[in-house]
Amino acid sequence: MTRRIPFEGIDNFRDFGDYAAGGRRLKRGVLYRSAHQAQATPGDLARLAGLGLSVIVDLRRSNERQSQPSRRWDGFSAEVIENDIGQEHADEWHTFIENSDLTAASFHAYMMDYYRGAPFANRHIDLYARYFQALAETDGAVLVHCAAGKDRTGILCALTHHLAGVHGDDIVEDYLLTNDPERLAMRLPFMRERIREATGRTPDDDALMTAMRVEAEYLEAAFAVMRERCGSLDGYLEAELGLTGELREKIHDRLLA
């Protein structure tokens, strides 16, 4: 199946359902992931309206939401899950690029550190817990997104797959779909200019591609810290996100065919 769904002004939009999950299968057309919708065209908005979205999870910080506000369609009524927790701290990405040598090695090291810290950031725990609660309660489709739809979104979608019983190989394969070569090539000039505007410096293309890609080791770093601190991924889901057995059953009943 084609998981990528083309939009004119929304990047990295995919259906992350329709995977085998134990003896059942994740439904298609209920789980979507993407980058932000600030540049959504009228045609994009019409297409979004037709997806039957009842919940949108915006994992971005408040400064990101303010600088690139989401566009909505007429009659928009979906629940939006977002928060401003931890906004007293500096934006870690901007702090990094301002102080980094902007090499591929530096970007790689930053991403590894980010993934080790992300699962236990208070703002992510709140957002992730509210997302899973919404999964158990909503009847419509759900869209998870952040700015680029790759890291914060990638962790949450991978946890969703784990909860559903998707095989680990499929979890990683789905996560790595962000690395579409054509998409990355199209985004390269934008990323180059964005960092130049922020820092007055221009990284080489290898560094930029490192910044835009995801790697299996990033996701494994996040999973490893969950296992270290909670014993297992299921332990993390229960202890940190409040996923009781009853809540898990509700999610299974809603998402699995």
Side-chain angles (χ1 to χ4, degrees):
M1 64 171 285
T2 300
R3 297 191 175 278
R4 297 184 182 91
I5 303 174
F7 282 83
E8 296 169 318
I10 306 175
D11 189 41
N12 206 14
F13 202 107
R14 313 201 300 265
D15 185 323
F16 67 101
D18 200 23
Y19 281 100
R24 304 172 71 181
R25 192 169 192 88
L26 272 175
K27 296 176 183 176
R28 188 174 186 179
V30 295
L31 293 170
Y32 298 104
R33 56 177 291 176
S34 76
H36 67 78
Q37 298 102 59
Q39 276 83 53
T41 66
D44 290 339
L45 295 178
R47 187 164 193 181
L48 285 173
L51 294 178
L53 297 172
S54 60
V55 177
I56 295 179
V57 185
D58 188 341
L59 301 172
R60 296 177 299 167
R61 300 169 62 94
S62 57
N63 63 306
E64 296 172 286
R65 302 197 306 269
Q66 291 163 6
S67 65
Q68 294 184 308
S70 298
R71 298 199 65 203
R72 307 300 191 199
W73 54 92
D74 291 341
F76 178 85
S77 61
E79 174 189 1
V80 178
I81 295 175
E82 59 189 22
N83 72 28
D84 297 326
I85 295 171
Q87 301 307 291
E88 66 274 13
H89 303 299
D91 185 310
E92 49 275 74
W93 169 253
H94 285 96
T95 299
F96 163 71
I97 62 173
E98 288 168 1
N99 296 285
S100 168
D101 61 8
L102 302 180
T103 61
S106 294
F107 280 114
H108 179 270
Y110 169 82
M111 295 310 304
M112 290 293 291
D113 286 343
Y114 181 84
Y115 273 79
R116 292 187 185 107
F120 291 93
N122 289 336
R123 64 180 309 270
H124 293 156
I125 289 173
D126 172 76
L127 291 165
Y128 288 7
R130 290 162 60 198
Y131 158 78
F132 281 114
Q133 187 69 45
L135 274 188
E137 297 173 351
T138 185
D139 291 327
V142 176
L143 170 63
V144 179
H145 78 90
C146 51
K150 71 184 189 78
D151 301 312
R152 291 165 286 190
T153 296
I155 293 171
L156 186 51
C157 294
L159 285 172
T160 307
H161 281 157
H162 170 78
L163 174 66
V166 174
H167 191 278
D169 291 346
D170 288 333
I171 293 175
V172 173
E173 180 180 321
D174 186 85
Y175 168 76
L176 292 175
L177 288 176
T178 283
N179 295 340
D180 175 57
E182 182 178 352
R183 187 188 76 81
L184 293 177
M186 290 179 63
R187 282 187 53 79
L188 190 64
F190 165 81
M191 191 70 172
R192 182 186 298 114
E193 181 60 19
R194 186 176 180 185
I195 293 180
R196 188 197 64 77
E197 289 177 354
T199 68
R201 296 172 291 143
T202 304
D204 62 30
D205 286 359
D206 183 40
L208 289 168
M209 292 298 284
T210 301
M212 292 190 297
R213 291 176 57 87
V214 293
E215 303 293 344
E217 64 181 322
Y218 299 164
L219 185 60
E220 180 50 39
F223 281 179
V225 75
M226 294 179 206
R227 296 186 185 104
E228 289 165 8
R229 293 179 59 172
C230 299
S232 64
L233 298 187
D234 290 323
Y236 171 82
L237 292 171
E238 181 178 2
E240 299 296 331
L241 305 186
L243 265 76
T244 62
E246 180 182 1
L247 194 62
R248 293 175 73 117
E249 285 300 316
K250 288 182 178 178
I251 294 172
H252 284 177
D253 289 345
R254 184 172 123 56
L255 296 183
L256 297 174

